[in-house]
Amino acid sequence: KAGVTQTPRYLIKTRGQQVTLSCSPISGHRSVSWYQQTPGQGLQFLFEYFSETQRNKGNFPGRFSGRQFSNSRSEMNVSTLELGDSALYLCASSLAVSGYGYTFGSGTRLTVV
Amino acid sequence: QKEVEQDPGPLSVPEGAIVSLNCTYSNSAFQYFMWYRQYSRKGPELLMYTYSSGNKEDGRFTAQVDKSSKYISLFIRDSQPSDSATYLCAMDTGTASKLTFGTGTRLQVTL
């Protein structure tokens, strides 16, 4: 069974640019969450989508946004990139009900220069 | 103060040792408790999942949850070099659709 697929794996962007990251969840999983991982802050929750609706959002500025498509695939977008946005961005998928274990992808490593 | 506290380590043990990893938390609404293992340049991998208080065993791994003390543990028996990774505890209220993570403990199992 295929796992959570994130593309691209690595990305280098310039400050001020915008970036879009993609996530394909496990087949049958309708919940997709996004997390930012940095050495200083660890894993921090960005947002969660279920059936194309954002159910929860973390404490990040409005430059971070996301969406989910009808096939459960999700994208997240970061506009006006800052150096501090350099991080590993992880996508996780889960069954519909909150409280089940989440399966993570390998992440997209974003470097902002 | 963070909602979930975890000693970052690093923790270095010889092969075959019993490893104890721990997290404390402050939010009494947490009902679901997970342990993830993360290898370098990989995403976290779900190891153990527990609902409410109690113990759960899976092979060499045992997870314990003590909700009265707001304390969770992961024990690894007969540790192997392949267990060398960062171990993250994570918690979920069951209503917020999000996980709250500890900072992770880096474990090194030496030959």
Side-chain angles (χ1 to χ4, degrees), chain A residues 9-10 33 35 37 43 45 48 55-56 88 90 98-102 104-106, chain B residues 2 32 34 36 38 41-44 46 49 88 92 94-99 101:
Chain A
R9 288 295 311 276
Y10 302 93
S33 305
Y35 291 80
Q37 186 174 29
L43 272 139
F45 172 76
E48 189 262 356
R55 290 198 297 192
N56 200 354
L88 181 66
L90 292 158
S98 180
Y100 280 76
Y102 293 74
F104 282 82
S106 292
Chain B
K2 291 189 174 186
Y32 300 88
M34 286 149 259
Y36 284 85
Q38 187 175 24
R41 286 190 283 276
K42 295 283 189 182
L46 181 63
Y49 170 91
L88 299 142
D92 186 354
T95 59
S97 305
K98 74 171 193 177
L99 296 178
F101 282 86

Side-chain angles (χ1 to χ4, degrees), chain B residues 4-54:
Chain B
V4 180
E5 299 280 358
Q6 184 176 9
D7 188 334
L11 180 63
S12 183
V13 301
E15 183 180 10
I18 296 175
V19 176
S20 172
L21 304 166
N22 311 293
C23 287
T24 58
Y25 63 94
S26 57
N27 187 350
S28 57
F30 287 137
Q31 298 286 338
Y32 300 88
F33 304 91
M34 286 149 259
W35 286 95
Y36 284 85
R37 176 175 64 194
Q38 187 175 24
Y39 292 113
S40 181
R41 286 190 283 276
K42 295 283 189 182
E45 169 196 9
L46 181 63
L47 273 179
M48 301 287 287
Y49 170 91
T50 310
Y51 170 70
S52 195
S53 284

